[in-house]
Amino acid sequence: MLRHTNSLFAPPLLHTVFFQQALALGDAAIGNFVQTVLGYKVKQSMRNPMLEATSPSDFWGKRWNVLVHSVMKRGVYKPVRNYSSAIVASLAVFIASGLFHEWLVHAVIMYNRPSSVATSEVLLGSNTAFFVWNFCVIVSERVLAGTKGIKSFGRLIPQMFVPFLIVMTSLPMAHWFGNPYLKGDFFADYEKCLFLIRRVEV
């Protein structure tokens, strides 16, 4: 049982941490270059969501890829909100984000990779499903946040464990997000400049 649990959660957790750190590293490198060379002040995109998030909505709304969040808010949330409720507008944002990632899977992986890449194993639609899942997590947060049980539980949990619990709400479905990138050999590019953890068959 323990071995099964480890095989289920450990690889997605490692991939999630690596993916966030890879994005943060790229964001920091480009930002520092622009500020140093061009003198423009750059807005930080990744605000350490893996270690400082206080809730799922804080993770996705204020810390994870803030630049894209701003674009989605102006381009999707506000227009949809003018004609519907806030929850429908939020759902539209998560679906749009999922479809954007599906486009990345097509453009970056399926059409620009050698024939050796097993594109037949790439689960199209899985990225959208992952973002819809996290929309459901945020809705659940809003529904349960004011209940006595959740408030009592929140007071018992040390703050340092809160980001871990937030990540755990997405971890069961992390393979929906990571599958196209792993099966499409997306991380092979990172191997040229970063260390990667690989499973060794024995």
Side-chain angles (χ1 to χ4, degrees):
M1 178 66 180
L2 181 61
R3 182 177 180 181
H4 173 72
T5 303
N6 179 65
S7 64
L8 179 64
F9 288 104
L13 179 59
L14 291 174
H15 294 148
T16 301
V17 172
F18 173 77
F19 193 72
Q20 191 269 328
Q21 293 302 320
L23 288 176
L25 178 61
D27 173 56
I30 295 174
N32 289 332
F33 175 80
V34 171
Q35 288 188 154
T36 302
V37 177
L38 302 179
Y40 290 105
K41 185 177 181 180
V42 178
K43 185 176 182 180
Q44 186 180 9
S45 179
M46 304 295 288
R47 296 178 176 173
N48 203 8
M50 301 290 289
L51 297 177
E52 296 184 5
T54 58
S55 67
S57 56
D58 178 62
F59 183 98
W60 291 107
K62 297 180 180 180
R63 297 187 179 279
W64 182 273
N65 211 339
V66 178
L67 296 179
V68 172
H69 170 77
S70 300
V71 172
M72 289 291 181
K73 185 175 182 179
R74 294 193 303 269
V76 179
Y77 181 86
K78 289 184 177 180
V80 176
R81 184 68 178 88
N82 289 333
Y83 301 98
S84 63
S85 64
I87 193 169
V88 172
S90 297
L91 176 60
V93 168
F94 277 89
I95 291 177
S97 184
L99 293 175
F100 171 71
H101 285 81
E102 300 289 349
W103 173 81
L104 287 178
V105 169
H106 276 80
V108 176
I109 296 176
M110 297 192 70
Y111 296 148
N112 292 316
R113 289 294 182 186
S115 58
S116 60
V117 173
T119 55
S120 61
E121 298 182 20
V122 175
L123 299 178
L124 296 180
S126 63
N127 275 190
T128 302
F130 173 77
F131 281 98
V132 171
W133 165 265
N134 283 284
F135 163 77
C136 295
V137 170
I138 289 179
V139 171
S140 300
E141 173 201 338
R142 294 178 179 177
V143 171
L144 299 174
T147 62
K148 293 182 179 180
I150 294 298
K151 288 182 177 179
S152 299
F153 179 74
R155 287 193 291 266
L156 294 174
I157 300 298
Q159 182 59 38
M160 63 181 295
F161 292 118
V162 171
F164 172 76
L165 295 177
I166 294 171
V167 172
M168 289 297 293
T169 63
S170 296
L171 197 61
M173 308 305 172
H175 60 284
W176 288 353
F177 182 82
N179 169 270
Y181 302 95
L182 294 173
K183 296 296 184 181
D185 209 19
F186 175 78
F187 291 107
D189 292 336
Y190 285 100
E191 291 182 328
K192 298 176 181 178
C193 59
L194 296 174
F195 293 108
L196 292 183
I197 299 175
R198 286 189 176 273
R199 178 180 294 179
V200 178
E201 299 295 340
V202 294

